[in-house]
Amino acid sequence: MNRHILPGSTIGIIGGGQLGQMMAHAAQQMGYYVSVLDPDPDAPACRVTDRRIIGRYDDARHIALLRQSCDVITYEFENVDPEPLHTLSDEGYALHPHPRSLFIARNRSREKRFAESCGFHCVPFVDGLTLDPAAPQQMQKIVEAAVAFGDSILKTEEGGYDGKGQLPLRDLSEEQITQRLAEFHTSLGATSAVPVVLEKRMQFRFEFSMIASRFTDGSFRIFPAFENSHRNGILHRTICPAVLPDEELQHCHGSMRRLLSELDYFGVLTVEFFFSEDGHILFNEMAPRPHNSGHLTIEGCSVSQFEQHIRSICGLPPGEPSLYRPAGMLNIVAPYKPIAEIADALLKERDCHLHLYGKRQEKAGRKMGHITVLADSREELVARLDRVEEIVFGRIERL
C-alpha cells in the first residue's frame, strides 16, 4: 500500500452481516461513504450503508460493480472465494486484506502449516484425510488416527464456522467411529469425498483470542487478549483482559507480527487460541477480519476493532488500542426473552450497552445482537455479566 485513502472516499465491503454493519458505522463516523455487496437486501449492513449491490460474493460482475464505485474494498468474513479478488489485487486495485489471507484461512490444514511457520504452536493434528464412506481405506485412516488420539475432533477442511462442520470423537470403538463418520458425511449433505482434518482434543484452562493490525508506517497494534467461552460452538461470553503469563504473551505477540508481515497484511486480523493446562498457548484458527470477541472494543477501548480496521486499510495512522476498564460481552443468540423486556431491563443497568443487529429472521443459534458491560474489577465484571445473562435468557450457564 502506498497511498492514503482519506475521508470522503468510498469503502466497499463484501458481506452485509453484523460485522459489515459495525464496520460501516465506524467508516461513516470517520467521514467515509460505504457500499456493500450482499445477496440479501435485508442484511444488517444493507440497511445502513450508502449504496447496496445485491448479488453473490463470488460473482465477478457484482465485484466489478463494487469496484467501480469504491476507492478500497474489504470483506467481513473469510468464506469468500478468493479467486475473483486475486484479479483485483493483481491489477493493483486497493483490496485489503490481501486475498492470500482468504486462501490460507479458508483451509484448516493450510492455516495450521502457515501458523507453525510463523512460530505458533498448534494442537496435534492429522491432515490429508478424506471422509468418503465409499472408500473404506480412506475411512480406516481416519479411524486409526482417532483411536491413536483417544479424544479428538474431526473438522471439514473448509466451510465450517460457529461449530458447524465438526464431529467430536471420544471413547468410541472402531466400529462406532466408522458409524459416526458415515452419519457425519450424510449430515453434511455430501455426495462425494470431503477433505477433513483430525485434531487431538487438548485439556485447556480457557480459550482466548487476539486481534492485531499492521500499518503503512511498519508498526503493529495488538488489543489486549480476550478470554472467550462458547455454547454449542458459538461464542457466548468474552472477558477482557484475559490473564496470561507475560512470557507466553510476548511470544504470541511476536508470532502475530510475523504472521501479519508474511501476509503483507493491512486491516484487522484475529487469531483464536487455547491456553493449555500446562501453561502454553496453542493456535486454533485465524480470521482475516474483525471478530465477535472484539465487539466490546466499541465501548471498552480507546479505538474499536472496526475503526482500527478502517484506519489500516485506508493507510491512516494507527489508533492506540488501550482498554479503559475491565470489559465483557454477552452474545444475544436466539432463543431469548422478548426484546422489549430485555431492552427495558438492560437500559436500567449502569455501563451496559445494547447492540441489536436488526435481523429480520430469528432462528435458534442465530446471533441477533450483543451486550457490552464495563466494570471496575474482574470480579464485578463477572457478577454483572451473570446478571445481564439472566435478564436476556432467564438463566445463567456456568462455565
Side-chain angles (χ1 to χ4, degrees), residues 72 89 104 126 164 229 232 282 299 302 309 326 337 371:
V72 60
S89 182
I104 291 172
V126 178
K164 298 178 175 65
S229 59
N232 301 316
L282 299 172
E299 289 89 15
S302 50
H309 185 78
K337 292 163 72 175
I371 301 149

Side-chain angles (χ1 to χ4, degrees), residues 6 42 44 133 154 158 163 189 199 213 265 296 313 371:
L6 298 175
D42 283 331
L154 188 76
E158 298 187 3
E199 299 176 8
S213 47
Y265 195 97
L296 62 82
I313 68 171
I371 301 149

Side-chain angles (χ1 to χ4, degrees), residues 57 77 104 109 114-115 217 225 256 292 299 326 348 368-369 389:
Y57 311 122
F77 66 107
I104 291 172
S109 296
F114 179 70
D217 63 0
M256 291 285 285
N292 195 170
E299 289 89 15
K348 296 174 183 176
M368 304 299 290
E389 185 171 339

Side-chain angles (χ1 to χ4, degrees), residues 17 52 115 141 153 169 180 183 186 190 194 216 269 277 282 336 354 356:
R52 291 151 292 282
K141 288 182 181 179
I153 183 165
L169 298 169
R180 292 287 303 277
E183 293 170 351
T186 301
V194 178
T216 53
L269 180 138
E277 287 286 3
L282 299 172
Y336 45 85
L354 174 64
L356 296 174

